């Protein structure tokens, strides 16, 4: 499915908000997108088209995968990154080719008051070096007419490929993909084995992913806009400040510079922007880790479901539902969850009768099934997330796991009272 087909699907199913009045890319469009999580299409954002909140809810993701909302994890855990990838000669993305690059012509937005400037938020950076490829989303800050600073996070595969190229003092060829089939964009946020993002997307879609070759050799899927260029082996500039998933400002760091040599795009292209700290951003960060946690917990007990909660920025807090088999299972589930997602800070383990999507239910489990000295595990000096404002400067933090499951030997005292079915008047 193309990006446009997906937008048409949102339109025909009545879920798309359309803004036809002119809006500015500086603060105004992001403010409008922040009002709700509904997909919002701007027809005139400084003369261009742009969509935000494309995958702004679990309902949207579930619809894209063709499963119910509580079936997303199961679907993602079942899929293997072995779908078909086909190389083709041509692409609708080549409708317009610009060799005189001017990034200011694109609707790249400025979102928050202390932002370092406009940046690309939904660009899938595809890179190839030494026979390896990668596709992942990185922040791309405009630092010149044809230059972007890329936040390449260690140990993501783009970071590794850039490091390898830099060790040989060679530029890393890249292509930045904006507005591909949303399944491909989602696949680029996952933690599949190196170079398997497009195969994973093809398996998820149940249809081959077509790739075509850019002038610099990088192979890319059809998209609305593609920026072609290379990452310099040595040049680094300040990147940020920018708001990340926590809604607070991430640190300013020295990051590598990409020079864009060519832009290809559809006629009348639709730019994709992800609102920083918005639901789409949180989901893209968190949902790929949920199947990893699910599979890791499945190794130690019977796992039923996993969610990285929105209140925990879909990244720092998990709720794991298990069918407890033996006393102590929940403690093993806690350790498995931390091992599967090393940025996770707090995790709560609950039984099958707790609705993990309902925070009231999770709090009920903590309130009625936890005795802190027995059920809370505190683990100091563990690798945490660089995005946690409370993390230590050396990258470590203190983690907490809460076993909010029933004590098996006393199960009946934890049962929730039910009302019998009766005929209602
Ligand atoms: C943007 C980050 C990661 C990514 O691109 O996947 C920063 C958070 O990474 P941590 O590993 O949690 O520090
Ligand atoms: Mn990768």
């Amino acid at each position: 499915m193309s990006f446009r087909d997906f937008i048409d699907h949102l339109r025909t199913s009545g879920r798309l908000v359309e803004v036809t009045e002119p809006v500015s890319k500086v603060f105004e469009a992001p403010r409008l997108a922040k009002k709700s999580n509904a997909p919002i299409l701007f027809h005139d954002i400084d003369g261009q088209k742009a969509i935000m909140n494309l995958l702004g809810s679990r309902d949207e993701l579930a619809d894209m995968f063709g499963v119910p909302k509580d079936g997303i994890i199961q679907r993602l855990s079942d899929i293997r990154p072995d779908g078909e990838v086909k190389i083709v000669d041509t692409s609708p993305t080549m409708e317009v080719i610009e060799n005189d690059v001017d990034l200011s012509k694109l609707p790249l937005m400025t979102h928050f008051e202390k932002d370092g400037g406009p940046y690309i938020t939904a660009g899938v950076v595809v890179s190839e070096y030494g026979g390896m490829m990668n596709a992942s989303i990185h922040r791309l800050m405009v630092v010149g007419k044809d230059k972007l600073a890329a936040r390449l996070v260690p140990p993501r595969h783009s970071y590794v490929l850039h490091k390898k190229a830099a060790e040989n003092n060679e530029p890393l060829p890249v292509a930045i993909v904006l507005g591909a089939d949303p399944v491909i964009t989602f696949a680029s946020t996952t933690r599949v084995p190196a170079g398997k993002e497009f195969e994973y997307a093809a398996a998820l879609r149940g249809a081959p992913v077509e790739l075509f070759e850019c002038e610099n050799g990088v192979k890319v899927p059809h998209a609305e806009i593609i920026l072609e260029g290379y990452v310099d082996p040595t040049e680094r500039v300040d990147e940020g400040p920018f708001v990340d998933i926590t809604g607070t400002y991430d640190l300013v760091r020295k990051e590598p510079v990409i020079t864009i040599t060519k832009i290809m795009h559809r006629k009348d292209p639709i730019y994709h922007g992800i609102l920083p700290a918005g639901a789409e951003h949180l989901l893209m960060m968190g949902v790929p880790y949920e199947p990893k946690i699910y599979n890791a917990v499945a190794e130690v007990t019977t796992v039923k479901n996993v969610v990285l909660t929105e209140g925990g920025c879909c990244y720092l807090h998990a709720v794991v539902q298990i069918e407890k088999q033996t006393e102590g299972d929940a403690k093993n589930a806690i350790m498995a969850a931390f091992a599967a997602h090393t940025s996770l800070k707090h995790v709560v383990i609950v039984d099958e009768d707790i609705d993990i999507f309902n925070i009231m239910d999770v709090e009920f489990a903590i309130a009625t099934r936890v005795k802190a000295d027995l059920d809370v595990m505190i683990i100091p000096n563990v690798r945490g997330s660089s995005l946690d404002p409370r993390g230590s400067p050396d990258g470590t933090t203190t983690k907490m796991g809460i076993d909010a499951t029933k004590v098996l030997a006393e199960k009946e005292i934890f049962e929730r009272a039910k009302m019998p079915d009766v005929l209602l008047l």
Side-chain angles (χ1 to χ4, degrees):
M1 183 183 271
S2 75
F3 193 69
R4 290 179 182 204
D5 290 342
F6 189 75
I7 294 174
D8 283 344
H9 167 67
L10 293 173
R11 185 180 286 118
T12 48
S13 53
R15 306 208 299 280
L16 185 67
V17 177
E18 306 209 42
V19 179
T20 47
E21 303 79 40
V23 294
S24 168
K25 59 188 173 187
V26 183
F27 302 133
E28 196 179 7
R31 265 198 92 98
L32 288 167
K34 199 170 191 293
K35 281 187 169 176
S36 89
N37 293 340
I40 180 164
L41 177 65
F42 299 104
H43 286 262
D44 182 0
I45 170 165
D46 293 296
Q48 312 265 313
K49 283 196 177 130
I51 189 159
M52 298 183 83
N53 302 338
L54 186 74
L55 299 172
S57 69
R58 283 182 194 270
D59 295 313
E60 226 67 79
L61 283 173
D63 180 48
M64 181 173 81
F65 298 136
V67 295
K69 190 169 114 175
D70 61 0
I72 294 177
I73 309 283
Q74 195 61 59
R75 171 101 176 111
L76 295 179
S77 319
D78 289 347
I79 292 286
R80 303 274 78 83
D82 58 4
E84 189 188 346
V85 168
K86 277 209 275 203
I87 307 292
V88 296
D89 292 337
T90 186
S91 170
T93 316
M94 294 174 179
E95 279 172 353
V96 181
I97 295 185
E98 295 184 23
N99 290 306
D100 182 17
V101 173
D102 182 358
L103 293 168
S104 70
K105 287 191 195 160
L106 293 170
L108 311 187
M109 297 167 214
T110 307
H111 308 86
F112 293 91
E113 58 177 355
K114 293 181 189 161
D115 277 13
Y119 69 110
I120 297 175
T121 50
V124 176
V125 179
V126 186
S127 51
E128 286 191 31
Y129 189 75
M132 274 179 67
M133 69 75 61
N134 182 60
S136 49
I137 295 184
H138 301 286
R139 269 195 317 243
L140 300 162
M141 176 183 186
V142 180
V143 291
K145 192 168 160 276
D146 59 351
K147 287 196 192 298
L148 297 164
R151 165 69 178 131
L152 301 186
V153 182
R156 300 295 305 276
H157 297 136
S158 309
Y159 170 91
V160 173
L161 289 185
H162 175 251
K163 194 162 170 269
K164 282 191 178 167
E167 278 161 7
N168 296 328
N169 201 28
E170 285 179 345
L172 174 69
V174 292
I176 297 157
V177 178
L178 286 152
D181 176 347
V183 163
I184 295 177
T185 307
F186 174 81
S188 311
T189 70
T190 59
R191 272 65 185 162
V192 290
K196 289 288 180 191
E197 287 84 2
F198 296 142
E199 280 82 353
Y200 187 69
L204 267 177
R205 176 56 81 207
V209 164
E210 291 190 346
L211 301 179
F212 67 99
E213 192 167 331
C214 294
E215 217 173 294
N216 66 3
V218 175
K219 288 170 272 314
V220 288
H222 308 301
E224 291 291 314
I225 305 168
I226 288 184
L227 315 177
E228 203 178 310
Y230 59 88
V231 195
D232 189 273
T234 52
E235 189 182 3
R236 282 175 186 267
V237 294
D238 280 349
E239 188 266 349
F242 289 127
V243 169
D244 217 299
I245 47 165
T246 48
T248 57
Y249 275 95
D250 193 6
L251 303 175
V252 174
R253 301 177 185 84
K254 292 281 181 208
E255 293 290 346
V257 175
I258 304 179
T259 301
I260 304 300
T261 50
K262 177 177 170 182
I263 301 185
M264 289 178 257
H265 61 83
R266 301 285 308 264
K267 284 183 196 137
D268 200 16
I270 308 169
Y271 173 81
H272 179 197
I274 293 178
L275 179 70
E280 185 176 20
H281 184 193
L282 269 51
L283 291 169
M284 293 296 118
M285 285 285 284
V287 171
Y289 279 107
E290 291 170 349
K292 285 196 79 187
I293 297 173
Y294 184 95
N295 290 332
V297 176
E299 295 288 327
V300 297
T301 186
T302 308
V303 62
K304 303 304 275 186
N305 215 340
V306 174
V307 66
L308 284 160
T309 62
E310 221 171 294
C313 315
C314 290
Y315 200 66
L316 300 174
H317 282 183
V319 181
V320 177
Q321 186 188 50
I322 63 170
E323 191 182 320
K324 196 167 159 180
Q325 307 295 332
T326 51
E327 204 48 66
D329 276 1
K331 304 290 192 307
N332 280 328
I334 288 170
M335 293 189 283
F338 284 141
H341 174 24
T342 55
S343 302
L344 185 65
K345 190 160 128 180
H346 302 141
V347 58
V348 184
I349 314 294
V350 298
D351 298 299
E352 322 87 275
D353 63 336
I354 300 297
D355 176 0
I356 63 168
F357 295 103
N358 179 349
I359 197 68
M360 292 269 283
D361 235 30
V362 175
E363 191 181 349
F364 162 81
I366 297 172
T368 64
R369 298 176 186 181
V370 173
K371 192 178 271 182
D373 59 337
L374 298 181
D375 297 322
V376 177
M377 282 173 85
I378 305 277
I379 316 164
N381 299 319
V382 200
R383 188 258 189 221
S385 174
S386 61
L387 299 177
D388 175 9
R390 192 69 173 102
S392 299
D394 67 359
T396 63
T397 191
T398 301
K399 306 209 172 190
M400 177 174 65
I402 303 178
D403 171 358
T405 58
K406 299 174 206 165
V407 178
L408 284 179
E410 301 163 12
K411 231 174 163 181
E412 59 292 344
I413 62 173
F414 298 100
E415 289 308 332
R416 305 171 85 171
K418 293 191 187 103
M419 284 186 166
D421 281 341
V422 286
L423 283 176
L424 297 176
L425 289 177

